[in-house]
Amino acid sequence: MGSRRRFLIQSFLGAIATGFGFKYGFGSVTYSDPNYPQKSEVTSPVIISTWSHGLAANQAAWNVVSSGGSALDAVERGVNVSEADPEVSSVGYGGLPDASGNVTLDACIMGPDGNAGAVAFLKHIMHPVSVARKVMENTPHLMLAGDGALKFALDQGFKKVNLLTPEARKAFKAWKRSGARYAPMANWENHDTIGLLAIDQKGDLAGACTTSGMAFKHPGRVGDSPIIGAGLFVDNKIGGATATGEGEVVMKTLGSFLIVELMRNGMHPQEACEAAIYRLTETTHVHKNMQIGYIAVNKNGEHGAFSLRPGFQYAVFENGQNELLDTAFLMDWE
Ligand code: SD4
């Protein structure tokens, strides 16, 4: 990229950061080429997803697209892996419960045709993203919540399961003993919401996002993950974005929609993720436990990620290789 452009971007970001008095680290930020978009088409599939458990999810998604399957099938199949994994304490089975000890799930899915489905505050179902897909395909609605979502899932043939694992129950009891005060813990053991974006062999894009939400949240709380435009957004002409972290902030700034719109206006996915993180600091009090991470991919298969704080990683499967990348961040933990 031209040095003048790099200078302008860095001055702009630096000015914002200095203005807010941030201790910021640009780490390994890579900026876009000024001649974006550079490639005219994607020649092979690309899968990206949040956190280290994204590696296993990417593999499942890759298996779908590499054998000619659709991006929509790939994103569902991919995040199903995290949903069923008891070790992943922020997604599906094994997720940490709310303040009354119930595991409640939020999820959404969005396809290349602009269609989307979502579920919120869903209990007892191992694969909320698959219910979200049924909402998209089998109802005139976009989102179902709570008991209605559960009834719909059971009607569609999903089985009722106990989502609270012994480990999650233990963590809940320890939280109760410690005074039972809610505090957002977005980086808890580095196991967080999975958002996954896929481009298939035809160059079509889809995305999915699924979570058990913030640990020990107020019963009934719904986060950003099932909200189209907040936790996930896909525009098959432009690209897709997905979020992890404190959902209240992502919802207030419609982060994923914002990133896709910024890409529409010519930003590289990396720049767009950075701009969305800066944007939220303009209107939000950034408390000491706050973490937000975004990942994005454009129609050309270029991708990027950025987080508010250190520690966020994203998994990228491209050119037959699946790897975990550290992201640059705006400010250190206080
Ligand atoms: C939520 N965004 O419910 C989710 C939680 C999460 O990293 O991503 N944690 O707010």
Side-chain angles (χ1 to χ4, degrees):
M1 108 186 237
S3 59
R4 179 173 152 71
R5 181 172 162 81
R6 184 181 298 123
F7 172 76
L8 288 175
I9 294 167
Q10 287 181 336
S11 312
F12 168 69
L13 299 181
I16 293 172
T18 312
F20 281 88
F22 294 149
K23 223 165 95 191
Y24 60 92
F26 290 112
S28 58
V29 176
T30 52
Y31 295 111
S32 67
D33 191 287
N35 300 318
Y36 167 89
Q38 306 151 32
K39 297 182 243 163
S40 57
E41 61 183 36
V42 173
T43 49
S44 62
V46 178
I47 314 285
I48 65 170
S49 63
T50 53
W51 302 109
S52 57
H53 54 259
L55 287 170
N58 279 6
Q59 182 64 60
W62 184 263
N63 293 347
V64 174
V65 290
S66 62
S67 55
S70 71
L72 190 64
D73 285 343
V75 298
E76 179 186 0
R77 229 46 71 62
V79 302
N80 279 169
V81 173
S82 307
E83 289 178 332
D85 186 344
E87 304 272 300
V88 180
S89 61
S90 268
V91 184
Y93 177 62
L96 291 169
D98 67 11
S100 55
N102 292 307
V103 180
T104 71
L105 306 176
D106 297 338
C108 72
I109 189 163
M110 191 163 190
D113 57 358
N115 211 356
V119 289
F121 193 51
L122 174 65
K123 296 182 197 164
H124 308 306
I125 299 293
M126 178 81 81
H127 291 301
V129 80
S130 299
V131 184
R133 183 163 177 182
K134 296 281 187 206
V135 173
M136 174 173 85
E137 292 175 345
N138 297 349
T139 81
H141 307 302
L142 190 149
M143 180 186 287
L144 295 177
D147 290 345
L150 177 59
K151 180 174 183 321
F152 171 76
L154 298 175
D155 289 348
Q156 293 287 313
F158 290 86
K159 297 277 168 285
K160 210 168 168 177
V161 294
N162 176 12
L163 296 170
L164 190 66
T165 58
E167 290 71 26
R169 185 192 304 275
K170 228 167 103 187
F172 175 67
K173 287 200 166 146
W175 174 72
K176 283 291 241 190
R177 278 197 303 277
S178 72
R181 278 196 56 241
Y182 172 76
M185 293 187 297
N187 260 345
W188 202 83
E189 286 195 352
N190 212 15
H191 290 156
D192 277 35
T193 294
I194 184 148
L196 187 146
L197 302 161
I199 304 182
D200 63 25
Q201 287 184 18
K202 287 193 201 147
D204 281 335
L205 258 148
C209 186
T210 175
T211 190
S212 53
M214 302 301 282
F216 317 131
K217 61 196 176 185
H218 195 288
R221 182 264 188 190
V222 171
D224 60 309
S225 304
I227 310 292
I228 295 299
L232 174 76
F233 195 71
V234 170
D235 181 322
N236 197 35
K237 287 202 200 74
I238 306 298
T242 186
T244 178
E246 199 172 316
E248 282 71 12
V249 182
V250 177
M251 284 190 273
K252 283 186 267 189
T253 51
L254 272 189
S256 295
F257 182 73
L258 173 63
I259 291 168
V260 173
E261 289 309 293
L262 292 171
M263 293 195 292
R264 187 191 307 280
N265 290 328
M267 277 194 188
H268 186 277
Q270 179 63 40
E271 286 177 282
C273 290
E274 290 166 18
I277 292 286
Y278 289 112
R279 175 73 65 84
L280 66 85
T281 65
E282 288 171 7
T283 50
T284 305
H285 165 66
V286 178
H287 65 76
K288 71 177 172 46
N289 288 321
M290 188 186 286
Q291 172 65 308
I292 310 284
Y294 289 118
I295 64 172
V297 65
N298 67 17
K299 186 73 177 166
N300 294 336
E302 296 161 314
H303 50 83
F306 196 66
S307 56
L308 182 66
R309 311 275 195 180
F312 180 44
Q313 294 177 306
Y314 77 121
V316 177
F317 207 136
E318 59 184 346
N319 305 320
Q321 277 207 311
N322 197 10
E323 57 176 341
L324 193 62
L325 304 178
D326 290 330
T327 65
F329 54 89
L330 177 62
M331 64 180 88
D332 232 324
W333 294 104
E334 288 140 45

